[in-house]
Amino acid sequence: MLRRQAGEEDSIVLIDMASPEAGNGCSYGSTAQASEAGKQQVASSRVVSSAKPPIDFVLVWEEDLRNQENPMRDKNTQEVWRETFLENLRVAGLKIDQHDVQDEATAVHYVLLNAPWAVLCYYAEDLRLKLPLQELPNQASNWSATLLEWLGIPNILLEHVPDTPPEYYSCQFKASKLQWFLGSDNRDTFFTSTKRHQILFEILAKTPYGHEKKGLFGIDQLLAEGVFSAAFPLHDGPFSVVPESLQVLGLTQRQVLFQHWARWGKWNKYQPLDHVRRYFGEKVALYFAWLGFYTGWLLPAAVMGTVVFLVGCFLVFSDIPTQELCHSSDSFNMCPLCPDCSFWLLSSACTLAQAGRLFDHGGTVFFSLFMALWAVLLLEYWKRKNATLAYRWDCSDYEDIEERPRPQFAAMAPMTALNPITGADEPYFPEKNRVRRMLAGSVVLLMMVAVVIMCLVSVILYRAVMAIIVSKSNNAFLSAWASRIASLTGSVVNLVVILILSKAYVVLAQVLTRWEMHRTQTAFEDAFTLKVFIFQFVNFYASPVYIAFFKGRFVGYPGNYHTLFGVRNEECPAGGCLSELAQELLVIMVGKQIINNVQEVLVPKLKGCWQKFSRGKKAGSGTHPAPWEADYELLPCEGLFHEYLEMVLQFGFVTIFVAACPLAPLFALLNNWVEIRLDARKFVCEYRRPVAERAQDIGIWFHILAGLTHLAVISNAFLLAFSSDFLPRVYYSWTHGPDLRGFLNFTLARAPPTFTSAHNRTCRYRAFRDDDGHYSPTYWTLLAIRLAFVIVFEHVVFSIGRFLDLLVPDIPESVEIKVKREYYLAKQALAENEALLGATGAKDDQPPSSEPSLGLPA
């Protein structure tokens, strides 16, 4: 049943700050009764409280004192919004303390927020937060550690990390059942810092500062308008420790993470994922779990790829067709590469042919099959790992049952409806309207894809023109390497264009996704991710796809060359397009990794130095800054989207085009070893502490990885069939001889008589054509063999992949047993509690047993 929300007056808002009675009609998201109701619910609890309340959240704004005498209208508006917002926070029950630091020109105002016990209890129940009922031993395990222990081999990756977080049976918090929850006798430690941050952020995200229907609500909007310059929870003290205080009990959570995770010297140690989850939340912990899992699986792929590359290095000096080319002298006079270019000798391209042989040999077929199965197994075993972590971290049913609507959605939704799962009355946006907006956003996406294709065509034309200009050079070396020089510079230009377009579209995608009104944060992030990835996929992979499947396919023949905008279409170099594709992949993939890593190292340090320099005077010389001042000098956390995007694009390069570059897994492995510690250091040392967010998996990224895995099988099949010399060599060995003598002459066609008579000399070109320029019977035979190879290759790989999918269960048997055991205990506890209620009628004293994950003892 849908109900239209009232929005005529500012006093009728989602978060009612005026009257407690107004919240009785619709309790969703209301904070009006937080203080009063919370006090009534916990008044009878015997708890211990400290005199000094903790700082749960910090708001910051800066004021230019030089313009204070003549304030502008915008500044007055911002002051009104700020004062209204802070007053509404007070009405919601928060305690506010303010500290100011100023010099002659600027004043920095710090608003320190604290949520009283009553507000915490009210919102913990309203947000359906899960809190512990019973402590369990930590069940963390690692298959490699178990295997090495079974084999009796010392494990250099294993390290004892102090203060290991325990595991719990937990359920949704009920203030009326407070005595049943673990640690309820101490108010200071009952709600962990991450839970307090989540509650404060929920309040900040919903508190209005004007008319909500005009979007005047929430801290995110105030930050965008410049009313506040920052909003963040405090870190758990400094990350560094002095040498004399290196006792285990003296380390804070942040210091433990720095000492055992974020230091470069820990590159060869397991990640303390339970510690990461306790401090940063499940979403951040799942990212690092996936990154570590993926990096570990890259090790066998990198070893195999390196072996395949070394085999190619050996074949360079023993391959008969390559030796024939290098020793052909003036036997093969090749046709000009452009209308004004001269004839050239094939032997001058000896180095290019040898470079092509590094990547184009029989080992690449085996490696392509290996990588296709590797990708399938990687995803299958990650599903098992993810299921284990989701169970241990108590977030297996988060997205289906626990996740609430986004605060921005709740305030802007035009009506409410009952949630069919929870039965709660929640904001609702018609699905038909959302679909219309998504279709409009898709049109914008197609327009941006068209821009990418236009840029690709421009790069193609650049390469063609550059090859013509360089080939006309009087320098013999430049003339011989004209195509490779044009290709290399074109790759660099393409990388620059890619990075520029990426920045522009990410901003556009954020605007489109907010406009689509997605209900939950997970749905919002999935929609945003899909938009950006589709664009980035075309942006990053358009050039490699062109080189792999289109370049050299539509050239024509001497006397009848095909053109694009009057420029002759590009040809593959003497070594084939596979070597050029490997070059393109290395330039884009490795170049992007180097640029990203340099940015991640230098940019935070430069920004941090600038912030410290610009605010150095305000802190006062010779004094230690307050914790909120020190954290304000850190950089705002930018989330995990760009981290995931970087790794997923890398996964695409490693799998989709691996037939052309067997060294791609090695470069990915080396990058990821650095990436893990680099990202860890950013979160621990250089970023302000993010609000802990829950998640049960890596979201839509997993489905994108699965799609890339299927695409990789098809891509490698076509690469081996149409871009490699593997099948022509096999065909020649069957029909002419296994030693491949004469294969070079077999792949070269003769120029048509009309072209020969016009230039008074004959020449050769790479193609399977007859003397008149028509396709020869060999071409059609090879085409049939290539198509058959594609069908057989992808059917074999998909069949083996499907078999492995059925063979490897998505959820480990041990986890399934534990889930069934908890379900049994929950039913048993519920039955005994109902029997007890029937005998005594003590309804208010029963434990909260509505959740299957209780596992209460009988």
Side-chain angles (χ1 to χ4, degrees):
M1 181 176 181
L2 304 181
R3 286 180 290 277
R4 182 72 56 176
Q5 290 183 345
E8 291 78 18
E9 298 178 2
D10 285 343
S11 59
I12 306 177
V13 294
L14 185 64
I15 306 175
D16 192 350
M17 300 295 178
S19 61
E21 292 81 3
N24 296 333
C26 179
S27 63
Y28 182 83
S30 175
T31 62
Q33 302 181 46
S35 179
E36 187 65 29
K39 291 177 182 177
Q40 294 175 0
Q41 289 171 337
V42 300
S44 60
S45 302
R46 296 180 179 179
V47 293
V48 179
S49 177
S50 65
K52 186 177 181 180
I55 299 172
D56 297 321
F57 229 88
V58 179
L59 305 180
V60 186
W61 84 89
E62 298 187 8
E63 184 180 5
D64 190 353
L65 301 178
R66 292 171 297 185
N67 298 330
Q68 193 172 16
E69 297 179 357
N70 186 21
M72 303 298 291
R73 184 176 181 276
D74 291 341
K75 185 177 181 181
N76 289 336
T77 302
Q78 291 184 353
E79 288 178 353
V80 172
W81 287 350
R82 187 185 304 118
E83 292 173 359
T84 304
F85 184 75
L86 295 178
E87 180 60 29
N88 287 339
L89 292 180
R90 292 188 181 94
V91 174
L94 299 186
K95 294 181 178 179
I96 297 178
D97 188 17
Q98 183 168 330
H99 289 258
D100 301 329
V101 178
Q102 68 180 45
D103 57 14
E104 296 81 2
T106 309
V108 181
H109 305 277
Y110 298 92
V111 178
L112 312 181
L113 303 178
N114 168 259
W117 172 256
V119 175
L120 291 174
C121 290
Y122 175 83
Y123 264 96
E125 184 169 345
D126 185 58
L127 296 176
R128 301 194 286 269
L129 294 183
K130 279 192 171 183
L131 295 176
L133 288 167
Q134 178 182 349
E135 184 174 332
L136 301 171
N138 190 284
Q139 305 174 30
S141 62
N142 191 294
W143 68 269
S144 60
T146 305
L147 177 62
L148 292 175
E149 182 181 2
W150 182 74
L151 295 175
I153 301 175
N155 189 358
I156 62 173
L157 303 177
L158 189 62
E159 180 187 34
H160 172 69
V161 181
D163 192 22
T164 302
E167 296 182 13
Y168 302 98
Y169 283 135
S170 62
C171 77
Q172 292 181 6
F173 176 75
K174 295 288 185 182
S176 59
K177 315 297 181 184
L178 179 65
Q179 67 274 15
W180 290 97
F181 289 93
L182 196 64
S184 59
D185 57 342
N186 191 332
R187 291 187 178 185
D188 297 332
T189 59
F190 180 69
F191 291 104
T192 63
S193 60
T194 54
K195 298 296 183 186
R196 300 175 75 97
H197 299 163
Q198 291 172 352
I199 292 173
L200 263 292
F201 184 74
E202 182 76 11
I203 297 174
L204 293 172
K206 288 183 175 180
T207 302
Y209 56 90
H211 200 303
E212 287 185 86
K213 295 306 176 182
K214 296 180 180 179
L216 303 181
F217 71 96
I219 187 63
D220 290 335
Q221 190 66 23
L222 289 173
L223 291 172
E225 295 288 346
V227 178
F228 292 99
S229 56
F232 53 89
L234 286 180
H235 270 295
D236 188 11
F239 64 85
S240 59
V241 293
V242 293
E244 58 267 19
S245 64
L246 283 176
Q247 294 86 14
V248 171
L249 297 178
L251 297 179
T252 64
Q253 295 182 22
R254 189 185 185 192
Q255 290 169 341
V256 169
L257 288 175
F258 175 73
Q259 292 291 330
H260 299 275
W261 181 49
R263 294 169 58 195
W264 293 108
K266 302 299 180 181
W267 66 271
N268 60 338
K269 302 298 181 183
Y270 292 130
Q271 297 186 87
L273 295 176
D274 288 325
H275 295 74
V276 177
R277 176 242 180 177
R278 178 178 62 181
Y279 194 74
F280 291 112
E282 287 82 4
K283 180 172 287 189
V284 173
L286 279 173
Y287 163 73
F288 282 101
W290 177 80
L291 180 57
F293 185 85
Y294 167 52
T295 303
W297 272 69
L298 278 174
L299 184 59
V303 172
M304 189 63 64
T306 304
V307 171
V308 171
F309 179 76
L310 294 177
V311 170
C313 294
F314 173 77
L315 292 177
V316 165
F317 304 101
S318 61
D319 182 60
I320 292 178
T322 304
Q323 298 303 316
E324 287 182 348
L325 187 150
C326 293
H327 296 92
S328 61
S329 186
D330 56 353
S331 301
F332 300 105
N333 192 31
M334 306 300 291
C335 298
L337 297 175
C338 64
D340 299 327
C341 298
S342 60
F343 294 84
W344 58 286
L345 296 177
L346 184 58
S347 59
S348 63
C350 175
T351 305
L352 293 177
Q354 291 175 338
R357 193 58 183 156
L358 289 174
F359 306 101
D360 189 2
H361 54 85
T364 57
V365 180
F366 165 77
F367 188 57
S368 299
L369 179 62
F370 171 84
M371 288 301 296
L373 300 180
W374 172 87
V376 172
L377 286 175
L378 167 69
L379 297 184
E380 288 302 315
Y381 277 94
W382 166 249
K383 285 192 288 188
R384 293 169 58 86
K385 178 72 171 180
N386 191 106
T388 302
L389 292 176
Y391 168 78
R392 289 184 48 240
W393 293 345
D394 199 17
C395 54
S396 299
D397 54 357
Y398 170 70
E399 293 181 9
D400 296 330
I401 298 177
E402 300 175 41
E403 189 170 17
R404 292 164 51 86
R406 297 168 54 241
Q408 296 84 352
F409 174 85
M412 301 299 293
M415 59 188 68
T416 61
L418 289 178
N419 187 316
I421 298 178
T422 64
D425 196 28
E426 294 184 352
Y428 178 78
F429 187 79
E431 191 66 27
K432 185 182 297 184
N433 295 349
R434 180 180 295 111
V435 171
R436 291 173 182 170
R437 295 187 177 190
M438 293 175 67
L439 290 176
S442 301
V443 174
V444 178
L445 174 60
L446 292 177
M447 293 175 59
M448 292 299 297
V449 169
V451 173
V452 173
I453 296 176
M454 291 171 59
C455 294
L456 174 62
V457 173
S458 301
V459 173
I460 294 172
L461 293 176
Y462 164 82
R463 280 200 292 246
V465 173
M466 180 61 66
I468 295 174
I469 294 175
V470 177
S471 64
K472 293 180 181 180
S473 173
N474 296 327
N475 189 307
F477 174 80
L478 294 179
S479 180
W481 284 72
S483 61
R484 188 50 53 92
I485 293 173
S487 176
L488 181 60
T489 56
S491 299
V492 175
V493 171
N494 185 58
L495 176 60
V496 175
V497 173
I498 284 172
L499 297 177
I500 294 175
L501 291 177
S502 300
K503 298 292 184 182
Y505 184 73
V506 167
V507 178
L508 180 60
Q510 289 176 339
V511 176
L512 291 174
T513 309
R514 284 196 295 267
W515 181 59
E516 290 171 357
M517 289 289 291
H518 294 279
R519 173 181 170 271
T520 64
Q521 185 65 23
T522 299
F524 176 88
E525 291 178 356
D526 287 349
F528 173 72
T529 298
L530 186 61
K531 285 186 185 65
V532 177
F533 179 78
I534 291 175
F535 173 79
Q536 298 286 42
F537 179 86
V538 178
N539 195 18
F540 276 90
Y541 298 143
S543 182
V545 166
Y546 162 74
I547 295 174
F549 305 115
F550 297 98
K551 185 176 181 180
R553 302 286 184 271
F554 311 101
V555 178
Y557 55 90
N560 187 27
Y561 286 115
H562 301 159
T563 61
L564 177 65
F565 300 116
V567 178
R568 178 175 155 182
N569 290 345
E570 291 183 289
E571 295 185 46
C572 290
C577 278
L578 215 58
S579 61
E580 186 176 348
L581 177 60
Q583 169 197 289
E584 184 79 6
L585 292 177
L586 292 177
V587 169
I588 295 179
M589 176 179 147
V590 179
K592 181 177 181 297
Q593 290 177 350
I594 293 175
I595 292 174
N596 286 344
N597 288 336
V598 170
Q599 286 181 339
E600 291 180 3
V601 172
L602 294 182
V603 172
K605 291 186 179 299
L606 293 177
K607 288 183 177 179
C609 292
W610 171 252
Q611 288 188 358
K612 291 179 180 179
F613 173 76
S614 60
R615 301 182 183 129
K617 296 181 180 180
K618 305 180 188 67
S621 60
T623 62
H624 294 287
W628 46 88
E629 296 178 32
D631 283 9
Y632 183 49
E633 292 179 352
L634 301 177
L635 300 176
C637 182
E638 298 175 351
L640 295 170
F641 171 77
H642 293 287
E643 312 298 338
Y644 271 120
L645 180 63
E646 179 184 355
M647 291 297 104
V648 172
L649 289 174
Q650 180 199 88
F651 179 84
F653 284 120
V654 168
T655 55
I656 295 178
F657 305 105
V658 73
C661 188
L663 289 179
L666 176 62
F667 286 110
L669 176 64
L670 297 176
N671 173 79
N672 289 6
W673 265 336
V674 176
E675 186 73 24
I676 290 176
R677 304 304 160 182
L678 194 61
D679 288 346
R681 195 172 186 86
K682 286 193 305 184
F683 274 91
V684 174
C685 306
E686 297 171 354
Y687 281 168
R688 297 169 190 158
R689 187 174 182 177
V691 178
E693 296 183 65
R694 288 175 61 84
Q696 71 182 54
D697 50 38
I698 62 174
I700 199 173
W701 293 112
F702 179 83
H703 303 289
I704 292 175
L705 291 170
L708 290 177
T709 300
H710 288 80
L711 182 61
V713 176
I714 301 173
S715 172
N716 284 290
F718 276 95
L719 268 177
L720 294 172
F722 290 92
S723 300
S724 170
D725 279 342
F726 170 72
L727 291 180
R729 285 170 178 259
V730 173
Y731 174 76
Y732 186 84
S733 65
W734 287 346
T735 57
H736 293 77
D739 59 358
L740 295 178
R741 294 188 182 278
F743 175 75
L744 181 62
N745 184 66
F746 173 73
T747 60
L748 299 177
R750 299 182 182 275
T754 54
F755 184 85
T756 302
S757 59
H759 293 78
N760 295 322
R761 60 189 302 182
T762 185
C763 61
R764 310 291 293 273
Y765 64 101
R766 283 179 59 91
F768 292 102
R769 294 178 182 267
D770 56 25
D771 291 343
D772 295 326
H774 303 299
Y775 287 121
S776 64
T778 302
Y779 169 83
W780 298 109
T781 303
L782 278 173
L783 179 62
I785 294 174
R786 284 167 167 160
L787 293 176
F789 176 84
V790 170
I791 295 174
V792 172
F793 183 88
E794 59 96 4
H795 273 72
V796 169
V797 174
F798 282 141
S799 298
I800 298 177
R802 180 58 180 166
F803 174 74
L804 294 175
D805 188 8
L806 297 175
L807 191 64
V808 180
D810 294 346
I811 302 177
E813 183 180 3
S814 59
V815 174
E816 289 185 338
I817 293 175
K818 292 175 183 177
V819 171
K820 292 177 181 179
R821 173 66 177 169
E822 286 190 16
Y823 182 70
Y824 167 77
L825 292 175
K827 289 183 64 177
Q828 187 180 41
L830 180 62
E832 294 184 1
N833 290 332
E834 290 179 349
L836 181 63
L837 283 175
T840 64
K843 182 177 180 181
D844 291 337
D845 294 331
Q846 67 171 341
S849 56
S850 60
E851 288 293 317
S853 61
L854 279 176
L856 292 174

